[in-house]
Amino acid sequence: MSRGAKHSPRKSKLLLGIFSGLVLGLLSAIGVAWYLKKTPGLETGKPTAPAQTEAEKSKPREHAKLDAAMAKPEARPRFDFYKILPGTEERAAEPNKPGQPQLRENVFLQAGAFQNAADADNLKAHLALLGLEASIQTTALPDKGVWHRVRLGPFAKAEDIEHTRTTLKQAGIEPVLLKVREPVTPPQ
């Protein structure tokens, strides 16, 4: 009988070790996922509030307003474009003049921009596997070359935007919200 026809105990131990390692790794991953899901504050990505110490409980009431003001995040935007670019607010509020074409504002989510067309196609295919329909817009930018933008939309409802944004974030893609003004073609 040939030597290669038999299963040696050494090979079976190796296979058993590999299989055991895979099972333990899978069980560990399931355990970590379960722990992260059950830990409060981790599912939203926000840290939980620390427990109040005895010294904080006995603080005088005169500091309550200051503490409340410090705990609230500021409601103002990160950038104030209307102060940076004066006059744009007035231009945006002006109605279209009779000689100007009507403009419609479309809202898109941009999932990525690539100089390589194959990378844009790969992202579009990945989005299709997630159940999202994307389009690729190719544009030439001065001094930067040709770029391929992967966009989803246009969206009509804010709920659709948030649902799509959540789906993208769960897939590890950080989308950018874009508002694009396009001329409205009159019905014929």
Side-chain angles (χ1 to χ4, degrees):
M1 199 167 184
S2 71
R3 184 176 177 162
K6 274 196 217 175
H7 289 294
S8 69
R10 190 176 190 189
K11 285 185 180 178
S12 61
K13 285 183 181 179
L14 177 65
L15 290 175
L16 181 64
I18 290 172
F19 181 72
S20 300
L22 288 173
V23 169
L24 286 174
L26 180 63
L27 290 174
S28 298
I30 291 171
V32 168
W34 178 79
Y35 173 76
L36 292 176
K37 189 170 180 108
K38 294 297 180 187
T39 304
L42 289 180
E43 66 272 357
T44 60
K46 297 178 184 174
T48 57
Q52 208 175 19
T53 63
E54 198 60 44
E56 290 173 337
K57 289 179 184 177
S58 63
K59 270 188 188 175
R61 297 302 261 161
E62 61 199 37
H63 296 297
K65 287 183 183 177
L66 179 60
D67 289 343
M70 289 176 59
K72 291 181 187 175
E74 292 188 33
R76 56 173 242 208
R78 185 171 156 196
F79 299 107
D80 196 355
F81 292 107
Y82 296 114
K83 289 183 181 175
I84 295 171
L85 301 171
T88 55
E89 190 172 63
E90 291 81 22
R91 277 187 264 145
E94 288 178 8
N96 287 334
K97 295 179 183 170
Q100 292 179 333
Q102 294 279 342
L103 294 178
R104 172 182 56 210
E105 191 173 79
N106 289 326
V107 180
F108 294 90
L109 284 174
Q110 182 167 309
F114 305 94
Q115 286 188 311
N116 186 355
D119 292 339
D121 286 333
N122 286 340
L123 180 58
K124 182 179 176 183
H126 180 70
L127 294 173
L129 290 174
L130 295 173
L132 301 172
E133 186 177 341
S135 61
I136 298 176
Q137 177 196 27
T138 303
T139 185
L141 299 174
D143 299 330
K144 293 186 181 181
V146 176
W147 284 84
H148 307 278
R149 300 171 179 160
V150 181
R151 292 183 174 176
L152 297 104
F155 295 99
K157 298 179 187 172
E159 297 88 32
D160 295 339
I161 295 170
E162 286 306 312
H163 174 70
T164 305
R165 182 182 282 173
T166 303
T167 304
L168 290 171
K169 285 185 178 183
Q170 288 173 347
I173 300 169
E174 189 63 38
V176 176
L177 182 71
L178 300 174
K179 293 182 181 179
V180 179
R181 289 185 173 213
E182 296 176 342
V184 176
T185 55
Q188 295 180 358

